[in-house]
Amino acid sequence: MTDQRTIADSKRAFHTAFPYVIPSLYRRTADELLVELHLLSHQQHFKSDALFAVGLRQVFTAFTQGYKPEKHLDELYAAICTCNGFDPEALQQLAEGSTSAVSGHTINEVREWLSNRGAGAPEPLASGISSVGGESFHYSRLMAVGLLSLLSSAQGGEPSDPDELKNLAHEIGEQLGLSKPRLDKDLSLYTSNLQKMAQAVELIEETLAAERRKRDRQVANSQASDSKTPDAQSASPDESAAEEITN
């Protein structure tokens, strides 16, 4: 897909395309995706199919929740892709189109489409998974996430039984010729890291909220203190006059 760039070359290209400081919580996500795409760019038989496109977008979106400033996210995604020779717009269109293709359809319909490598499915899903598991096929862990995400979208994005959905992903993966141990490992790691990320984001938000409340109290106390000072000063002459009268 690209010339034989080193990882250092890719990182230089990335920082040129995205010249901003990435918050520490999100650096690992950016770095891991960058390295993953770098390695895939050197694989002769790798193809950017629908499972990969959906998985990449899902992982990026899930692990950049709470990113500030939010307006940098599109640039960050594009930089991760372009520095390794991938077309971010094409991947985005394939991911969104494939997700839209399964929305509103039953799990059984989507299951049949996926199991049969897109036969009977709407475009771009049909052509997007036609080569999955073929002879010239290179697996990426992002495909496992893409498979799970498409099944989840068929249930409206909120699966009633996550374990059942995961088992279905394993079953379909086997029918496509994907390794069940690999799928199990990659999906388990994804869900585990997703929980950790959500907890980290929640902790940061709680910490920031506590700091804001603290600052608000300090400001309120300072304003209250300032408002009392003039009253005390203006009351002093009256008190002195009262003392003179009584004396």
Side-chain angles (χ1 to χ4, degrees), residues 75-125:
E75 291 180 69
L76 177 59
Y77 176 79
I80 290 172
C81 294
T82 56
C83 75
N84 289 301
F86 290 85
D87 185 338
E89 292 187 7
L91 287 175
Q92 178 74 351
Q93 290 175 2
L94 181 55
E96 291 179 350
S98 298
T99 301
S100 297
V102 303
S103 298
H105 292 276
T106 67
I107 278 288
N108 288 334
E109 286 180 300
V110 175
R111 174 183 182 176
E112 184 176 354
W113 294 339
L114 295 174
S115 299
N116 293 293
R117 294 182 174 83
E123 291 293 350
L125 183 62

Side-chain angles (χ1 to χ4, degrees), residues 108-159:
N108 288 334
E109 286 180 300
V110 175
R111 174 183 182 176
E112 184 176 354
W113 294 339
L114 295 174
S115 299
N116 293 293
R117 294 182 174 83
E123 291 293 350
L125 183 62
S127 57
I129 60 172
S130 59
S131 62
V132 174
E135 290 184 7
S136 298
F137 174 76
H138 183 84
Y139 172 80
S140 163
R141 57 182 175 170
L142 293 171
M143 294 176 180
V145 179
L147 176 58
L148 187 68
S149 181
L150 286 175
L151 292 173
S152 179
S153 295
Q155 289 194 344
E158 295 293 338

Side-chain angles (χ1 to χ4, degrees), residues 31-49:
D31 190 61
E32 287 196 0
L33 286 177
L34 189 154
V35 171
E36 176 81 5
L37 266 60
H38 171 80
L39 295 175
L40 291 174
S41 71
H42 292 291
Q43 295 297 329
Q44 180 181 357
H45 297 303
F46 174 75
K47 181 179 179 180
S48 299
D49 57 36

Side-chain angles (χ1 to χ4, degrees), residues 194-225:
L194 196 57
Q195 291 174 350
K196 293 177 182 177
M197 188 67 175
Q199 291 170 353
V201 171
E202 183 179 359
L203 178 60
I204 288 177
E205 290 178 345
E206 289 177 352
T207 301
L208 293 174
E211 291 178 352
R212 284 194 295 269
R213 289 194 296 270
K214 181 179 179 180
R215 287 196 299 269
D216 290 343
R217 286 196 298 270
Q218 290 174 338
V219 170
N221 291 337
S222 176
Q223 290 175 342
S225 176

